[in-house]
């Protein structure tokens, strides 16, 4: 499939590289690394996300330089759109409006990918999309410098939880080893992302813990973050901290869920599992997607308690089977 992707790249003059809404580290890393790689390969290329980049990624200024918003790219005469780290077309937001009459290539690692491109390179065994981009750049003969290696490393680091999640396989360490030898700087990334927590996040965490509930002998832990709670600490919805990882880390918890209100009465539901439960199936059931150990969906509700019970009852029932 990688050869099909390269054929599409060689046929195109101008390329748009797009990522998903509610961007994460792997998404921005994949876009930025592919944009930089294709620039070095001699293409006219622009990166885009139809959403704001969260504050914790703003520490990496190269991202702002390489990734534009929708208004900036909507009139770009790209003949090829490469979509990275997105499992379905709705995940790219309004960038979907640009699909007509263009070739679409999808590069992704979600098992739930709908293969919505003309060419789909989907490898669910890859811990991150950033590693697929690394493979592609190398195959194109792109020379890695410190800046490119570091930004490419970002996606591998964040999607593996800094090299500790169950997706952290030998390929991760092989790729990371190469990226570090090319000048990739892990401590620059860890400092920017992990050692930079706003104090407001910790204050909000106190309120989040007050709303914490359990089900199934405390195997399911769940809570929510409302717009009012964010407002209390002056936190923007795009900067909602990823508390779901904190819940999963609790002893005995198999499934952790945080319902994050990001628009009035619209909840992005973030799910994580520890050892055996498949949360991607739950995400698919509720109209989202993701991986076995990390998945999500968005749902409208004017009653958060009811939504939480609906989702956790569904999970509790699945656990019994
Ligand atoms: P999150 O909990 O937002 O960090 O997402 C966990 C994983 O699920 C990531 O791989 C996301 O790409 C995926 N995911 C989250 N929300 C959705 C959605 N609405 N549709 C498809 N995939 C999603
Ligand atoms: Mn992602
Ligand atoms: Mn990813």
């Amino acid at each position: 499939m990688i050869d099909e992707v390269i054929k599409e790249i060689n046929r195109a003059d101008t390329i748009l590289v797009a990522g998903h809404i509610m961007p994460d580290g792997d998404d921005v890393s994949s876009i930025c690394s592919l944009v930089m790689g294709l620039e070095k390969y001699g293409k006219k290329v622009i990166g885009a996300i139809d959403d704001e980049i969260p504050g914790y990624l703003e520490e990496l200024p190269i991202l702002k330089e390489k990734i534009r918003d929708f208004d900036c790219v909507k009139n770009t005469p790209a003949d090829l759109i490469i979509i990275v780290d997105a499992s379905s077309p709705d995940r790219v937001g309004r960038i979907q409006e640009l699909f007509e009459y263009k070739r679409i290539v999808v590069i992704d690692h979600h098992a739930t990918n709908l293969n919505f491109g003309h060419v789909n390179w989907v490898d669910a065994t890859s811990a991150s999309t950033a590693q697929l981009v690394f493979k592609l750049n190398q195959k194109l003969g792109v020379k890695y410098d410190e800046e490119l290696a570091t930004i490419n490393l970002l996606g591998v680091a964040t999607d593996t939880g800094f090299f500790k999640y169950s997706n952290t396989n030998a390929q991760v360490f092989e790729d990371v080893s190469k990226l570090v030898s090319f000048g990739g700087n892990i401590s620059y990334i860890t400092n920017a992302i992990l050692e930079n927590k706003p104090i407001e996040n910790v204050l909000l965490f106190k309120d989040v813990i007050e709303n914490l509930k359990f089900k199934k002998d405390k195997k399911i832990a769940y809570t929510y973050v409302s717009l009012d709670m964010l407002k209390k600490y002056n936190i923007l919805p795009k900067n909602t901290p990823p508390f779901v990882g904190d819940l999963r880390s609790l002893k005995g918890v198999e499934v952790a869920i945080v319902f994050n209100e990001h628009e009035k009465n619209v909840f992005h539901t973030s799910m994580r599992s520890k050892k055996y439960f498949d949360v991607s199936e739950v995400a698919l059931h509720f109209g989202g997607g993701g991986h076995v150990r990390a998945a999500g969906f968005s749902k409208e509700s004017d009653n958060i308690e009811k939504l939480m019970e609906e989702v956790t009852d569904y999970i509790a029932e699945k656990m019994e089977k």
Side-chain angles (χ1 to χ4, degrees):
M1 228 3 120
I2 188 167
D3 294 326
E4 293 299 311
V5 174
I6 291 171
K7 262 190 221 159
E8 296 288 339
I9 289 169
N10 285 336
R11 265 192 227 131
D13 286 324
T14 310
I15 301 170
L16 173 67
V17 180
H20 63 74
I21 52 172
M22 293 190 190
D24 51 21
D26 187 30
D27 192 41
V28 296
S29 162
S30 299
I31 298 170
C32 198
S33 307
L34 188 52
V35 166
M36 291 168 82
L38 291 174
E39 277 170 355
K40 287 176 194 275
Y41 188 61
K43 293 288 172 184
K44 281 186 264 179
V45 50
I46 189 163
I49 299 178
D50 183 24
D51 204 350
E52 288 175 307
I53 294 179
Y56 75 94
L57 293 167
E58 275 165 9
E59 288 293 311
L60 307 161
I62 183 77
L63 298 174
K64 269 244 151 75
E65 206 182 290
K66 300 291 176 191
I67 303 175
R68 309 283 155 167
D69 61 22
F70 177 72
D71 285 331
C72 194
V73 301
K74 65 182 179 202
N75 297 318
T76 298
D79 27 37
L80 171 64
I81 302 180
I82 304 181
I83 294 159
V84 292
D85 202 43
S87 54
S88 53
D90 58 294
R91 293 282 287 159
V92 298
R94 286 173 297 173
I95 289 170
Q96 268 185 102
E97 294 168 13
L98 311 178
F99 282 13
E100 224 180 340
Y101 308 120
K102 300 208 167 73
R103 294 293 290 176
I104 308 290
V105 165
V106 172
I107 303 177
D108 186 31
H109 71 133
H110 292 90
T112 56
N113 196 290
L114 299 182
N115 295 308
F116 57 100
H118 298 104
V119 172
N120 301 283
W121 179 26
V122 178
D123 181 356
T125 68
S126 183
S128 61
T129 300
Q131 287 167 269
L132 301 177
V133 170
F134 181 42
K135 194 169 177 179
L136 176 59
N137 278 344
Q138 286 181 106
K139 203 147 186 196
L140 291 174
V142 169
K143 246 184 99 60
Y144 267 68
D145 54 19
E146 194 179 305
E147 190 175 46
L148 176 52
T150 300
I151 210 67
N152 206 153
L153 206 46
L154 166 71
V156 193
T158 52
D159 257 26
T160 57
F162 290 81
F163 321 112
K164 63 180 154 42
Y165 293 160
S166 58
N167 59 359
T168 311
N169 52 22
Q171 189 65 48
V172 166
F173 290 109
E174 263 176 53
D175 291 338
V176 168
S177 166
K178 277 192 204 156
L179 286 166
V180 170
S181 73
F182 293 152
N185 188 337
I186 290 189
S187 69
Y188 174 76
I189 293 168
T190 50
N191 281 335
I193 301 213
L194 299 180
E195 313 286 332
N196 221 354
K197 204 184 282 175
I199 185 70
E200 292 76 21
N201 291 15
V202 184
L203 300 175
L204 172 65
F205 190 48
K206 202 172 122 252
D207 295 1
V208 167
I209 290 302
E210 264 168 26
N211 297 332
L212 182 61
K213 288 186 176 177
F214 293 98
K215 235 173 220 177
K216 281 262 153 199
D217 295 331
K218 299 203 170 158
K219 286 203 282 287
I220 305 172
Y222 59 106
T223 188
Y224 67 93
V225 180
S226 66
L227 289 179
D228 286 340
M229 290 163 73
L230 291 173
K231 208 165 140 198
K232 181 173 164 193
Y233 298 106
N234 260 322
I235 300 174
L236 295 171
K238 70 161 185 163
N239 293 333
T240 304
F243 293 129
V244 69
D246 298 295
L247 299 200
R248 175 170 64 181
S249 72
L250 296 174
K251 184 174 177 175
V253 167
E254 172 59 25
V255 180
I257 314 146
V258 180
F259 297 79
N260 294 301
E261 190 177 19
H262 61 96
E263 279 168 45
K264 181 100 186 112
N265 292 339
V266 183
F267 290 84
H268 175 71
T269 303
S270 226
M271 299 183 288
R272 300 289 183 268
S273 62
K274 195 179 276 169
K275 290 179 185 162
Y276 58 86
F277 192 84
D278 180 359
V279 285
S280 74
E281 196 281 328
V282 179
L284 274 179
H285 175 82
F286 287 101
H291 310 284
V292 176
R293 299 278 169 267
F297 62 88
S298 279
K299 207 167 161 44
E300 237 184 286
S301 171
D302 57 8
N303 186 339
I304 179 58
E305 295 294 337
K306 202 170 144 220
L307 175 63
M308 289 202 298
E309 291 316 300
E310 186 192 347
V311 174
T312 52
D313 281 345
Y314 180 82
I315 293 172
E317 207 172 291
K318 286 233 133 221
M319 259 187 182
E320 271 167 22
K321 284 178 194 152

